[in-house]
Amino acid sequence: MTTTGEEHATVRKGPWWWVRWRSALLDGGLAFASAVECGARGIPFAQDAGIPAVAGVVFGVLAGSVLLFRRRWPIAVVLVSIAVAPAQMGYLMGVVGLYTLAASELPRRIIASLAGMSLLGMLVVAFVQAREMSDADVEAGEWFAPFFALTMSVGMTAPPLLLGMYVGARRRLMESLRERADSLERELQLLAERAEERAEWARNEERTRIAREMHDVVAHRVSLMVVHAAALQAVARKDPEKAVRNAALVGDMGRQALTELREMLGVLRSGDGVRPREVPVVAVAAVDEQPVSEGPCLEDLEELVGQSAAAGMVVALSVEGTECVYAPEIEQTAYRVVQEALTNAHKHAAGAKTYVRVAHRVSEIAMQVENEPPPEVSSPGLPSGGNGLVGMRERVLALGGVFVSGPTEAGGFRVSAVIPAS
Protein backbone atom coordinates (compact mmCIF):
# COMPACT_ATOMS: atom_id res chain seq x y z
CA MET A 1 0.00 0.00 0.00
CA THR A 2 1.43 3.37 -0.99
CA THR A 3 1.36 6.32 1.38
CA THR A 4 -0.47 9.39 0.13
CA GLY A 5 -2.65 12.25 1.33
CA GLU A 6 -2.79 12.82 5.06
CA GLU A 7 -0.85 9.64 5.79
CA HIS A 8 1.96 10.88 3.54
CA ALA A 9 1.96 14.27 5.26
CA THR A 10 2.27 12.76 8.72
CA VAL A 11 5.33 10.66 7.89
CA ARG A 12 8.04 13.17 8.81
CA LYS A 13 11.76 12.47 9.03
CA GLY A 14 13.06 16.04 9.15
CA PRO A 15 13.08 18.65 11.93
CA TRP A 16 10.16 20.93 12.74
CA TRP A 17 7.88 21.40 9.72
CA TRP A 18 10.18 19.84 7.13
CA VAL A 19 9.29 16.42 5.78
CA ARG A 20 12.88 15.46 4.98
CA TRP A 21 16.29 16.61 6.11
CA ARG A 22 17.13 17.38 2.51
CA SER A 23 14.40 20.01 2.39
CA ALA A 24 15.62 21.53 5.66
CA LEU A 25 19.19 21.76 4.37
CA LEU A 26 18.01 23.33 1.10
CA ASP A 27 15.96 25.99 2.89
CA GLY A 28 18.84 26.64 5.29
CA GLY A 29 21.23 27.16 2.38
CA LEU A 30 18.80 29.50 0.61
CA ALA A 31 18.21 31.45 3.81
CA PHE A 32 21.97 31.78 4.37
CA ALA A 33 22.51 33.06 0.81
CA SER A 34 19.60 35.48 1.19
CA ALA A 35 20.97 36.72 4.54
CA VAL A 36 24.41 37.33 2.99
CA GLU A 37 22.87 39.15 0.03
CA CYS A 38 20.64 41.35 2.21
CA GLY A 39 23.42 41.94 4.73
CA ALA A 40 25.76 43.13 1.97
CA ARG A 41 23.05 45.45 0.62
CA GLY A 42 22.46 46.72 4.17
CA ILE A 43 25.70 48.74 4.15
CA PRO A 44 24.73 51.18 1.32
CA PHE A 45 21.19 51.26 2.75
CA ALA A 46 22.63 52.36 6.13
CA GLN A 47 24.70 55.04 4.42
CA ASP A 48 21.68 56.40 2.54
CA ALA A 49 19.51 56.26 5.66
CA GLY A 50 22.14 57.83 7.90
CA ILE A 51 22.29 54.98 10.39
CA PRO A 52 25.22 52.91 11.57
CA ALA A 53 26.44 50.33 9.11
CA VAL A 54 26.11 47.58 11.72
CA ALA A 55 22.42 48.34 12.06
CA GLY A 56 21.98 48.09 8.29
CA VAL A 57 23.84 44.79 8.18
CA VAL A 58 21.80 43.35 11.07
CA PHE A 59 18.60 44.54 9.43
CA GLY A 60 19.59 42.92 6.14
CA VAL A 61 20.61 39.62 7.78
CA LEU A 62 17.35 39.41 9.74
CA ALA A 63 15.28 40.26 6.66
CA GLY A 64 17.11 37.72 4.47
CA SER A 65 16.82 34.98 7.11
CA VAL A 66 13.03 35.07 6.76
CA LEU A 67 13.47 32.83 3.69
CA LEU A 68 14.03 29.95 6.13
CA PHE A 69 10.25 29.93 6.76
CA ARG A 70 9.20 29.83 3.09
CA ARG A 71 7.47 26.44 3.36
CA ARG A 72 5.72 27.36 6.59
CA TRP A 73 4.62 30.93 5.83
CA PRO A 74 5.11 31.71 2.12
CA ILE A 75 2.86 34.78 2.32
CA ALA A 76 5.04 36.33 5.03
CA VAL A 77 8.18 35.74 2.97
CA VAL A 78 6.69 37.49 -0.09
CA LEU A 79 5.45 40.41 2.01
CA VAL A 80 8.90 40.88 3.59
CA SER A 81 10.53 40.80 0.16
CA ILE A 82 8.11 43.50 -1.05
CA ALA A 83 8.77 45.57 2.08
CA VAL A 84 12.58 45.52 1.72
CA ALA A 85 12.51 46.05 -2.07
CA PRO A 86 12.89 49.88 -1.76
CA ALA A 87 16.18 49.24 0.08
CA GLN A 88 17.32 47.39 -3.04
CA MET A 89 17.74 44.09 -1.21
CA GLY A 90 15.85 40.74 -0.95
CA TYR A 91 15.93 39.82 -4.66
CA LEU A 92 16.68 36.15 -3.95
CA MET A 93 14.05 36.09 -1.24
CA GLY A 94 11.47 37.57 -3.62
CA VAL A 95 12.18 35.06 -6.40
CA VAL A 96 12.16 32.00 -4.12
CA GLY A 97 9.17 33.35 -2.17
CA LEU A 98 7.08 33.78 -5.34
CA TYR A 99 8.01 30.29 -6.49
CA THR A 100 7.00 28.77 -3.15
CA LEU A 101 3.78 30.80 -3.05
CA ALA A 102 2.75 29.70 -6.57
CA ALA A 103 3.50 26.04 -5.78
CA SER A 104 1.46 26.07 -2.55
CA GLU A 105 -2.22 25.17 -2.05
CA LEU A 106 -3.26 28.75 -1.33
CA PRO A 107 -6.22 30.25 -3.22
CA ARG A 108 -5.39 31.67 -6.64
CA ARG A 109 -6.68 35.13 -5.78
CA ILE A 110 -4.15 35.46 -2.96
CA ILE A 111 -1.32 34.29 -5.20
CA ALA A 112 -2.37 36.71 -7.95
CA SER A 113 -2.66 39.64 -5.51
CA LEU A 114 0.79 39.09 -3.98
CA ALA A 115 2.34 38.49 -7.40
CA GLY A 116 0.86 41.81 -8.60
CA MET A 117 2.17 43.61 -5.55
CA SER A 118 5.63 42.11 -6.07
CA LEU A 119 5.57 43.06 -9.76
CA LEU A 120 4.56 46.64 -8.96
CA GLY A 121 7.18 47.02 -6.23
CA MET A 122 9.92 45.60 -8.45
CA LEU A 123 8.78 47.89 -11.29
CA VAL A 124 9.13 51.00 -9.11
CA VAL A 125 12.49 49.98 -7.67
CA ALA A 126 13.85 49.05 -11.12
CA PHE A 127 12.60 52.33 -12.57
CA VAL A 128 14.40 54.31 -9.86
CA GLN A 129 17.59 52.35 -10.45
CA ALA A 130 17.31 52.93 -14.19
CA ARG A 131 16.90 56.69 -13.71
CA GLU A 132 20.01 56.76 -11.53
CA MET A 133 21.88 54.86 -14.23
CA SER A 134 20.56 57.30 -16.87
CA ASP A 135 21.76 60.28 -14.85
CA ALA A 136 25.20 58.72 -14.59
CA ASP A 137 25.32 57.83 -18.31
CA VAL A 138 24.34 60.69 -20.56
CA GLU A 139 24.26 58.48 -23.63
CA ALA A 140 21.17 56.52 -22.36
CA GLY A 141 17.92 57.70 -23.89
CA GLU A 142 14.53 58.32 -22.31
CA TRP A 143 13.37 54.87 -23.28
CA PHE A 144 16.01 53.13 -21.16
CA ALA A 145 14.38 53.60 -17.74
CA PRO A 146 10.90 52.25 -18.66
CA PHE A 147 12.36 49.39 -20.68
CA PHE A 148 14.79 48.40 -17.94
CA ALA A 149 12.09 48.65 -15.24
CA LEU A 150 9.60 46.57 -17.21
CA THR A 151 12.15 43.96 -18.20
CA MET A 152 13.55 43.70 -14.69
CA SER A 153 10.16 43.43 -12.98
CA VAL A 154 8.75 40.87 -15.42
CA GLY A 155 11.99 38.86 -15.43
CA MET A 156 12.06 38.71 -11.61
CA THR A 157 8.35 37.89 -11.24
CA ALA A 158 7.02 35.83 -14.18
CA PRO A 159 9.54 32.92 -14.31
CA PRO A 160 9.34 31.92 -10.61
CA LEU A 161 5.57 32.38 -10.67
CA LEU A 162 5.05 30.19 -13.74
CA LEU A 163 7.55 27.58 -12.55
CA GLY A 164 5.87 27.41 -9.15
CA MET A 165 2.43 26.99 -10.72
CA TYR A 166 3.76 24.18 -12.92
CA VAL A 167 5.44 22.38 -10.01
CA GLY A 168 2.36 22.79 -7.83
CA ALA A 169 0.08 21.41 -10.55
CA ARG A 170 2.42 18.49 -11.14
CA ARG A 171 2.61 17.79 -7.42
CA ARG A 172 -1.18 17.81 -7.11
CA LEU A 173 -1.44 15.52 -10.11
CA MET A 174 0.98 13.04 -8.56
CA GLU A 175 -0.91 13.14 -5.27
CA SER A 176 -4.16 12.55 -7.11
CA LEU A 177 -2.66 9.60 -9.00
CA ARG A 178 -1.33 8.11 -5.76
CA GLU A 179 -4.70 8.52 -4.09
CA ARG A 180 -6.39 6.87 -7.06
CA ALA A 181 -3.88 4.03 -6.90
CA ASP A 182 -4.57 3.58 -3.19
CA SER A 183 -8.30 3.70 -3.80
CA LEU A 184 -8.02 1.18 -6.62
CA GLU A 185 -5.91 -1.11 -4.46
CA ARG A 186 -8.46 -0.92 -1.65
CA GLU A 187 -11.27 -1.63 -4.10
CA LEU A 188 -9.37 -4.60 -5.51
CA GLN A 189 -8.84 -5.96 -2.01
CA LEU A 190 -12.51 -5.48 -1.25
CA LEU A 191 -13.50 -7.17 -4.50
CA ALA A 192 -11.14 -10.05 -3.74
CA GLU A 193 -12.68 -10.46 -0.29
CA ARG A 194 -16.19 -10.35 -1.73
CA ALA A 195 -15.22 -12.83 -4.45
CA GLU A 196 -13.85 -15.17 -1.80
CA GLU A 197 -17.06 -14.80 0.20
CA ARG A 198 -19.15 -15.49 -2.89
CA ALA A 199 -16.99 -18.51 -3.73
CA GLU A 200 -17.38 -19.84 -0.18
CA TRP A 201 -21.13 -19.24 -0.35
CA ALA A 202 -21.29 -21.02 -3.72
CA ARG A 203 -19.32 -23.97 -2.32
CA ASN A 204 -21.67 -24.21 0.65
CA GLU A 205 -24.70 -24.03 -1.62
CA GLU A 206 -23.26 -26.72 -3.88
CA ARG A 207 -22.52 -28.98 -0.92
CA THR A 208 -26.06 -28.45 0.35
CA ARG A 209 -27.53 -29.21 -3.08
CA ILE A 210 -25.48 -32.38 -3.50
CA ALA A 211 -26.40 -33.52 0.01
CA ARG A 212 -30.08 -32.90 -0.75
CA GLU A 213 -29.89 -34.80 -4.01
CA MET A 214 -28.12 -37.72 -2.35
CA HIS A 215 -30.74 -37.80 0.37
CA ASP A 216 -33.65 -37.75 -2.07
CA VAL A 217 -32.15 -40.40 -4.34
CA VAL A 218 -30.98 -42.88 -1.74
CA ALA A 219 -33.21 -42.42 1.31
CA HIS A 220 -36.51 -43.51 -0.25
CA ARG A 221 -35.14 -46.61 -1.97
CA VAL A 222 -33.13 -47.72 1.02
CA SER A 223 -36.11 -47.18 3.31
CA LEU A 224 -38.21 -49.45 1.13
CA MET A 225 -35.42 -52.00 1.10
CA VAL A 226 -35.32 -52.00 4.91
CA VAL A 227 -39.11 -52.45 5.07
CA HIS A 228 -38.99 -55.36 2.61
CA ALA A 229 -36.06 -56.89 4.44
CA ALA A 230 -38.00 -56.74 7.72
CA ALA A 231 -41.01 -58.36 6.02
CA LEU A 232 -38.73 -60.97 4.46
CA GLN A 233 -37.33 -61.83 7.87
CA ALA A 234 -40.84 -62.18 9.30
CA VAL A 235 -42.26 -64.50 6.61
CA ALA A 236 -39.14 -66.37 5.57
CA ARG A 237 -40.24 -69.59 7.31
CA LYS A 238 -44.01 -69.17 7.27
CA ASP A 239 -44.53 -68.22 3.61
CA PRO A 240 -41.56 -69.01 1.36
CA GLU A 241 -43.30 -67.72 -1.76
CA LYS A 242 -43.93 -64.31 -0.18
CA ALA A 243 -40.35 -64.28 1.03
CA VAL A 244 -39.18 -64.83 -2.53
CA ARG A 245 -41.34 -61.95 -3.74
CA ASN A 246 -40.01 -59.70 -1.02
CA ALA A 247 -36.45 -60.68 -1.91
CA ALA A 248 -37.14 -59.81 -5.54
CA LEU A 249 -38.54 -56.45 -4.46
CA VAL A 250 -35.44 -55.78 -2.37
CA GLY A 251 -33.31 -56.51 -5.42
CA ASP A 252 -35.42 -54.22 -7.58
CA MET A 253 -35.20 -51.44 -5.00
CA GLY A 254 -31.43 -51.84 -4.82
CA ARG A 255 -31.05 -51.69 -8.59
CA GLN A 256 -33.30 -48.63 -8.83
CA ALA A 257 -31.36 -46.89 -6.05
CA LEU A 258 -28.06 -47.58 -7.81
CA THR A 259 -29.47 -46.45 -11.14
CA GLU A 260 -30.70 -43.15 -9.71
CA LEU A 261 -27.40 -42.68 -7.92
CA ARG A 262 -25.55 -43.29 -11.18
CA GLU A 263 -27.76 -40.74 -12.94
CA MET A 264 -26.98 -38.10 -10.33
CA LEU A 265 -23.25 -38.82 -10.39
CA GLY A 266 -23.34 -38.60 -14.18
CA VAL A 267 -24.92 -35.15 -13.99
CA LEU A 268 -22.31 -34.03 -11.48
CA ARG A 269 -19.48 -35.33 -13.65
CA SER A 270 -20.80 -33.76 -16.85
CA GLY A 271 -19.63 -30.22 -17.47
CA ASP A 272 -21.76 -28.04 -19.74
CA GLY A 273 -24.51 -30.40 -20.73
CA VAL A 274 -22.11 -33.05 -22.08
CA ARG A 275 -23.48 -36.55 -21.94
CA PRO A 276 -22.16 -38.16 -18.78
CA ARG A 277 -19.86 -41.08 -19.28
CA GLU A 278 -20.70 -44.48 -17.86
CA VAL A 279 -20.12 -44.79 -14.15
CA PRO A 280 -19.21 -48.33 -13.09
CA VAL A 281 -21.47 -49.82 -10.44
CA VAL A 282 -21.57 -53.08 -8.55
CA ALA A 283 -22.62 -56.33 -10.11
CA VAL A 284 -26.19 -56.12 -8.82
CA ALA A 285 -26.82 -53.04 -10.97
CA ALA A 286 -25.12 -54.54 -14.00
CA VAL A 287 -27.72 -57.32 -14.13
CA ASP A 288 -30.51 -54.98 -15.08
CA GLU A 289 -29.04 -51.76 -16.46
CA GLN A 290 -31.45 -49.06 -17.56
CA PRO A 291 -30.78 -46.10 -19.84
CA VAL A 292 -29.94 -42.82 -18.18
CA SER A 293 -33.03 -40.61 -17.92
CA GLU A 294 -33.47 -36.95 -17.28
CA GLY A 295 -34.90 -37.46 -13.77
CA PRO A 296 -38.26 -38.33 -12.22
CA CYS A 297 -41.47 -36.67 -13.31
CA LEU A 298 -45.15 -36.65 -12.36
CA GLU A 299 -45.88 -39.66 -14.57
CA ASP A 300 -43.78 -41.76 -12.20
CA LEU A 301 -45.99 -41.01 -9.18
CA GLU A 302 -48.16 -44.09 -9.74
CA GLU A 303 -45.08 -46.30 -9.79
CA LEU A 304 -43.78 -44.55 -6.67
CA VAL A 305 -47.05 -45.12 -4.83
CA GLY A 306 -47.12 -48.71 -6.07
CA GLN A 307 -43.68 -49.34 -4.60
CA SER A 308 -44.85 -48.08 -1.22
CA ALA A 309 -47.95 -50.24 -1.47
CA ALA A 310 -45.79 -53.25 -2.31
CA ALA A 311 -43.80 -52.54 0.84
CA GLY A 312 -46.95 -52.98 2.92
CA MET A 313 -48.16 -49.40 3.18
CA VAL A 314 -51.85 -48.70 2.69
CA VAL A 315 -51.64 -45.73 0.35
CA ALA A 316 -54.17 -44.06 -1.95
CA LEU A 317 -53.38 -41.69 -4.82
CA SER A 318 -55.88 -39.15 -6.13
CA VAL A 319 -55.27 -36.68 -8.98
CA GLU A 320 -57.50 -33.66 -9.58
CA GLY A 321 -57.65 -31.42 -12.62
CA THR A 322 -56.25 -31.82 -16.09
CA GLU A 323 -52.69 -33.02 -16.20
CA CYS A 324 -50.31 -30.49 -17.75
CA VAL A 325 -46.74 -30.49 -18.90
CA TYR A 326 -44.56 -28.53 -16.51
CA ALA A 327 -40.92 -27.54 -16.55
CA PRO A 328 -38.56 -30.40 -15.62
CA GLU A 329 -37.49 -28.76 -12.35
CA ILE A 330 -41.13 -28.32 -11.30
CA GLU A 331 -42.00 -31.96 -11.99
CA GLN A 332 -38.84 -33.19 -10.26
CA THR A 333 -39.55 -31.04 -7.20
CA ALA A 334 -43.16 -32.27 -7.01
CA TYR A 335 -41.99 -35.86 -7.34
CA ARG A 336 -39.31 -35.42 -4.67
CA VAL A 337 -41.80 -33.87 -2.22
CA VAL A 338 -44.15 -36.84 -2.54
CA GLN A 339 -41.22 -39.27 -2.40
CA GLU A 340 -39.75 -37.77 0.77
CA ALA A 341 -43.18 -37.56 2.42
CA LEU A 342 -43.76 -41.27 1.73
CA THR A 343 -40.28 -42.04 3.07
CA ASN A 344 -41.11 -40.20 6.29
CA ALA A 345 -44.36 -42.13 6.54
CA HIS A 346 -42.39 -45.39 6.24
CA LYS A 347 -40.00 -44.23 8.96
CA HIS A 348 -42.34 -42.71 11.50
CA ALA A 349 -45.83 -44.09 10.74
CA ALA A 350 -45.37 -47.67 9.64
CA GLY A 351 -48.72 -49.33 9.02
CA ALA A 352 -50.69 -46.06 8.92
CA LYS A 353 -52.92 -45.35 5.97
CA THR A 354 -51.52 -42.60 3.76
CA TYR A 355 -53.27 -40.35 1.26
CA VAL A 356 -51.47 -38.74 -1.66
CA ARG A 357 -53.37 -35.93 -3.40
CA VAL A 358 -52.16 -34.03 -6.47
CA ALA A 359 -54.15 -31.08 -7.90
CA HIS A 360 -53.44 -29.51 -11.30
CA ARG A 361 -54.67 -25.91 -11.27
CA VAL A 362 -54.56 -23.04 -13.75
CA SER A 363 -51.23 -21.54 -12.70
CA GLU A 364 -49.90 -23.93 -10.08
CA ILE A 365 -49.64 -27.51 -8.97
CA ALA A 366 -50.48 -28.58 -5.41
CA MET A 367 -49.64 -31.79 -3.63
CA GLN A 368 -50.47 -33.14 -0.20
CA VAL A 369 -49.32 -36.28 1.60
CA GLU A 370 -51.18 -37.08 4.82
CA ASN A 371 -51.02 -40.15 6.99
CA GLU A 372 -53.31 -41.31 9.78
CA PRO A 373 -52.03 -42.01 13.28
CA PRO A 374 -49.70 -45.02 13.24
CA PRO A 375 -50.88 -48.23 14.93
CA GLU A 376 -49.25 -49.33 18.16
CA VAL A 377 -46.76 -51.70 16.52
CA SER A 378 -43.01 -51.72 16.33
CA SER A 379 -41.57 -49.69 13.46
CA PRO A 380 -38.76 -50.96 11.22
CA GLY A 381 -36.35 -48.70 13.14
CA LEU A 382 -35.22 -46.63 10.16
CA PRO A 383 -32.66 -43.91 10.96
CA SER A 384 -33.56 -40.27 10.40
CA GLY A 385 -31.18 -37.37 9.95
CA GLY A 386 -33.84 -34.68 10.20
CA ASN A 387 -33.01 -33.27 6.74
CA GLY A 388 -36.03 -34.49 4.79
CA LEU A 389 -38.42 -31.65 5.64
CA VAL A 390 -35.61 -29.10 5.32
CA GLY A 391 -34.74 -30.36 1.84
CA MET A 392 -38.38 -30.32 0.71
CA ARG A 393 -38.83 -26.76 1.98
CA GLU A 394 -35.65 -25.59 0.21
CA ARG A 395 -36.72 -27.15 -3.09
CA VAL A 396 -40.21 -25.62 -3.01
CA LEU A 397 -39.11 -22.16 -1.86
CA ALA A 398 -36.41 -22.08 -4.54
CA LEU A 399 -39.20 -22.23 -7.17
CA GLY A 400 -41.26 -19.53 -5.45
CA GLY A 401 -43.73 -21.95 -3.91
CA VAL A 402 -45.26 -22.48 -0.47
CA PHE A 403 -44.44 -25.39 1.82
CA VAL A 404 -46.29 -26.33 5.03
CA SER A 405 -45.78 -29.40 7.21
CA GLY A 406 -46.94 -30.43 10.66
CA PRO A 407 -49.07 -32.81 12.70
CA THR A 408 -52.81 -33.08 12.16
CA GLU A 409 -55.54 -32.87 14.79
CA ALA A 410 -56.18 -36.60 14.45
CA GLY A 411 -52.60 -37.42 15.41
CA GLY A 412 -51.20 -37.99 11.95
CA PHE A 413 -48.85 -35.85 9.86
CA ARG A 414 -49.42 -33.72 6.78
CA VAL A 415 -47.08 -32.33 4.15
CA SER A 416 -48.46 -29.72 1.72
CA ALA A 417 -46.74 -27.85 -1.09
CA VAL A 418 -47.90 -25.46 -3.83
CA ILE A 419 -45.55 -24.71 -6.75
CA PRO A 420 -46.20 -22.06 -9.43
CA ALA A 421 -46.51 -23.51 -12.91
CA SER A 422 -44.14 -20.93 -14.41
Side-chain angles (χ1 to χ4, degrees):
M1 177 73 69
T2 56
T3 305
T4 58
E6 296 181 357
E7 296 180 359
H8 179 70
T10 57
V11 180
R12 299 185 181 279
K13 297 181 181 180
W16 297 339
W17 57 84
W18 286 283
V19 178
R20 294 181 297 271
W21 275 99
R22 184 178 62 183
S23 301
L25 294 177
L26 175 62
D27 289 355
L30 291 175
F32 178 77
S34 177
V36 171
E37 181 250 335
C38 292
R41 295 297 305 173
I43 297 175
F45 169 71
Q47 294 175 354
D48 296 338
I51 60 176
V54 176
V57 172
V58 172
F59 173 76
V61 170
L62 291 178
S65 300
V66 175
L67 189 59
L68 185 67
F69 306 96
R70 71 182 185 94
R71 298 178 191 267
R72 187 74 171 179
W73 298 297
I75 296 179
V77 173
V78 175
L79 290 176
V80 171
S81 68
I82 296 174
V84 300
Q88 298 183 4
M89 64 175 63
Y91 295 112
L92 177 62
M93 181 169 53
V95 172
V96 178
L98 280 177
Y99 165 80
T100 307
L101 181 70
S104 66
E105 300 294 335
L106 292 172
R108 293 302 180 188
R109 63 178 182 275
I110 296 179
I111 297 175
S113 300
L114 292 176
M117 293 170 60
S118 179
L119 176 65
L120 182 60
M122 185 64 64
L123 182 64
V124 173
V125 172
F127 183 80
V128 172
Q129 290 179 347
R131 291 299 299 267
E132 292 177 355
M133 295 171 59
S134 298
D135 293 340
D137 188 3
V138 295
E139 295 182 359
E142 294 295 333
W143 57 269
F144 177 75
F147 175 77
F148 177 80
L150 183 61
T151 304
M152 187 70 176
S153 60
V154 173
M156 295 290 290
T157 305
L161 186 66
L162 296 177
L163 180 61
M165 294 177 63
Y166 167 76
V167 172
R170 183 175 179 274
R171 183 184 303 159
R172 287 188 290 272
L173 176 61
M174 295 302 296
E175 290 292 332
S176 175
L177 292 178
R178 276 195 291 266
E179 290 178 359
R180 290 183 181 180
D182 288 346
S183 176
L184 180 60
E185 185 175 356
R186 288 192 294 267
E187 290 180 1
L188 290 177
Q189 290 180 350
L190 182 60
L191 289 176
E193 293 175 359
R194 290 182 177 177
E196 182 63 25
E197 292 176 358
R198 287 195 295 268
E200 182 64 24
W201 177 83
R203 286 193 292 268
N204 292 334
E205 288 292 319
E206 185 65 14
R207 283 194 292 268
T208 302
R209 187 187 68 83
I210 294 175
R212 186 169 58 238
E213 292 290 339
M214 291 287 292
H215 179 274
D216 293 340
V217 168
V218 177
H220 180 72
R221 303 295 182 188
V222 174
S223 300
L224 293 180
M225 291 172 62
V226 174
V227 173
H228 283 298
L232 175 62
Q233 183 179 6
V235 301
R237 296 181 179 180
K238 298 179 181 180
D239 192 349
E241 294 183 359
K242 188 174 182 180
V244 171
R245 291 195 298 272
N246 285 339
L249 288 174
V250 171
D252 291 339
M253 293 296 104
R255 283 189 290 272
Q256 292 175 4
L258 289 174
T259 300
E260 292 187 4
L261 182 61
R262 181 180 61 180
E263 293 174 0
M264 191 191 68
L265 292 177
V267 172
L268 293 178
R269 286 175 179 269
S270 62
D272 302 327
V274 182
R275 180 179 177 84
R277 62 184 179 89
E278 292 291 335
V279 179
V281 295
V282 296
V284 175
V287 175
D288 186 17
E289 289 194 354
Q290 300 178 6
V292 176
S293 62
E294 296 181 355
C297 58
L298 293 176
E299 296 180 355
D300 301 329
L301 284 180
E302 293 185 3
E303 181 182 355
L304 179 65
V305 172
Q307 292 171 357
S308 296
M313 175 185 287
V314 181
V315 57
L317 172 65
S318 62
V319 180
E320 300 177 2
T322 304
E323 295 187 5
C324 304
V325 178
Y326 303 99
E329 59 270 15
I330 295 178
E331 296 204 6
Q332 292 177 16
T333 300
Y335 180 91
R336 294 301 186 191
V337 168
V338 176
Q339 183 186 52
E340 182 59 31
L342 291 176
T343 301
N344 290 340
H346 280 291
K347 292 180 180 180
H348 308 293
K353 187 173 183 179
T354 304
Y355 303 93
V356 179
R357 302 181 181 90
V358 178
H360 299 276
R361 299 170 183 170
V362 177
S363 58
E364 61 187 15
I365 177 174
M367 62 224 64
Q368 183 183 89
V369 179
E370 179 181 352
N371 61 267
E372 297 179 351
E376 297 296 332
V377 295
S378 60
S379 64
L382 297 174
S384 176
N387 296 319
L389 294 177
V390 175
M392 285 190 284
R393 179 183 299 275
E394 291 176 351
R395 284 180 177 274
V396 174
L397 294 182
L399 297 178
V402 179
F403 179 85
V404 179
S405 63
T408 62
E409 297 180 357
F413 197 85
R414 180 187 299 119
V415 173
S416 301
V418 178
I419 305 176
S422 58

